[in-house]
Amino acid sequence: MIPDSPITTVHLDDDADLLTLSREFVEQAHETITVEGYTEPDAALARVEEGGVDCVVTDYKMATMDGLTVLRRVRELDEDLPVVFFTGKGSEEIASEAISAGVTDYLRKTTGTEQYRLLGTRIATLVERRRAQERAAEADRRIREIYERITVAFVAFDEAFRFTYVNEHAERLLGRPAMELEGAVLWEKFPSAEGTAAADALRTALSDQRETHVTDELDIGDEHVHVELHAYPSEDGVSVFVEDRTEAVHREAELESLRADLEMTEQQFRTLHQKLSRPASPFR
């Protein structure tokens, strides 16, 4: 997919004629791409530092600075900026070093104009990939922000019941940090959950692809908790809202005990009242 929004590319090469050809043919083949040519590495790096650059193309062998040094300098400025080695100097050793240093792509110079159209396609593809990753990261950030505003415990599982998300309320309920749980399988981290109504509800929700709600008692660590669980399935997993009702259940039990005590007191009061209300026997 070629992106529709403009792409600014810094192309560094000590051959000015090659830069002219690169700009002409890349921009001709890809109208969204603008190529800014530089023969001096420091000038190209200053332009990258200035911002607004979507991709860097650099030669490997240059008079004042080699491509690996340029790459490392770019990585200091931006860890994810696409960097393409476009060079006539090629070897497995150089390619290996470039990959280790964080190069995004590696393209050998050839003869003819087709190489520039290919270069333009690589640039467009790499930039769109980075933009898609940024959009995905932003969407994930917003989703997590929403999840963290949920006032009950929320966890998400994939189809193998591996934790994929755990909010702060769930961390407190489960007694473990999200970083320890995410990626782990529910049954391995909490084996006592097996065989419970909650476990059956989760499996039913995923297998039948229907919302499932259940109330259950669970042993989590040293705690015995009463929970109300609401499971919402999707094709790739299940989202679960868990309300900790332990305090509410304890309060209800206390109220019930008070009611029982009150009923007993009232009965005792009525009995005593009846006794006191009877006339004294003259034979006593």
Side-chain angles (χ1 to χ4, degrees):
M1 175 180 175
I2 304 301
D4 295 326
S5 51
I7 295 173
T8 299
T9 299
V10 165
H11 190 170
L12 171 63
D13 198 296
D14 53 8
D15 185 340
D17 292 336
L18 182 142
L19 292 176
T20 299
L21 291 172
S22 170
R23 181 174 63 252
E24 178 181 347
F25 287 105
V26 169
E27 291 182 355
Q28 180 181 326
H30 303 278
E31 59 182 18
T32 59
I33 300 177
T34 299
V35 177
E36 299 179 6
Y38 294 86
T39 56
E40 293 297 327
D42 287 338
L45 290 166
R47 176 65 184 89
V48 173
E49 187 171 10
E50 181 183 317
V53 175
D54 299 299
C55 184
V56 173
V57 178
T58 181
D59 192 8
Y60 172 75
K61 187 173 178 59
M62 294 176 287
T64 58
M65 186 183 296
D66 66 41
L68 286 172
T69 303
V70 172
L71 173 60
R72 294 187 182 99
R73 294 273 296 275
V74 170
R75 285 287 166 258
E76 291 174 2
L77 298 170
D78 188 329
E79 292 183 353
D80 301 314
L81 185 67
V83 178
V84 179
F85 267 24
F86 184 52
T87 177
K89 179 75 173 178
S91 70
E92 290 184 5
E93 183 180 353
I94 292 173
S96 177
E97 284 188 81
I99 292 170
S100 298
V103 75
T104 315
D105 208 345
Y106 190 98
L107 188 63
R108 288 289 302 273
K109 291 177 183 176
T110 59
T111 57
T113 60
E114 182 60 29
Q115 63 179 326
Y116 300 109
R117 281 187 281 272
L118 177 58
L119 176 62
T121 299
R122 294 281 182 90
I123 292 169
T125 300
L126 292 173
V127 171
E128 173 56 21
R129 182 188 302 166
R130 185 192 188 190
R131 290 175 177 175
Q133 290 170 343
E134 289 174 343
R135 289 193 297 270
E138 176 61 16
D140 182 67
R141 184 193 66 78
R142 291 182 179 181
I143 289 171
R144 287 176 177 269
E145 193 175 77
I146 292 170
Y147 286 164
E148 289 304 328
R149 292 203 296 266
I150 296 172
T151 56
V152 296
F154 174 82
V155 295
F157 300 102
D158 65 12
E159 66 279 1
F161 287 104
R162 285 185 291 263
F163 288 92
T164 58
Y165 183 79
V166 180
N167 76 354
E168 290 183 6
H169 296 283
E171 285 183 311
R172 288 194 288 272
L173 176 63
L174 298 174
R176 302 191 188 187
M179 63 183 299
E180 177 186 333
L181 295 175
E182 290 177 2
V185 177
L186 168 62
W187 323 116
E188 293 176 359
K189 284 294 183 181
F190 299 97
S192 62
E194 282 282 20
T196 64
D200 292 342
L202 291 179
R203 289 192 168 103
T204 297
L206 190 58
S207 62
D208 296 355
Q209 285 294 293
R210 62 180 175 84
E211 296 179 13
T212 307
H213 311 279
V214 69
T215 299
D216 199 4
E217 297 180 36
L218 302 173
D219 291 316
I220 302 176
D222 297 329
E223 301 293 326
H224 185 75
V225 297
H226 299 256
V227 297
E228 190 172 305
L229 182 147
H230 307 271
Y232 299 89
S234 64
E235 292 182 359
D236 56 358
V238 58
S239 299
V240 186
F241 295 86
V242 186
E243 182 181 355
D244 183 359
R245 299 197 69 254
T246 305
E247 287 188 15
V249 169
H250 289 168
R251 284 198 301 270
E252 289 169 6
E254 289 174 4
L255 287 172
E256 189 60 35
S257 177
L258 286 172
R259 290 191 196 101
D261 289 345
L262 181 57
E263 287 174 2
M264 182 179 296
T265 302
E266 288 177 348
Q267 180 61 43
Q268 290 172 341
F269 176 78
R270 284 195 296 270
T271 301
L272 180 60
H273 184 268
Q274 289 172 358
K275 288 181 177 180
L276 293 174
S277 298
R278 294 173 187 161
S281 172
F283 301 103
R284 291 186 63 183

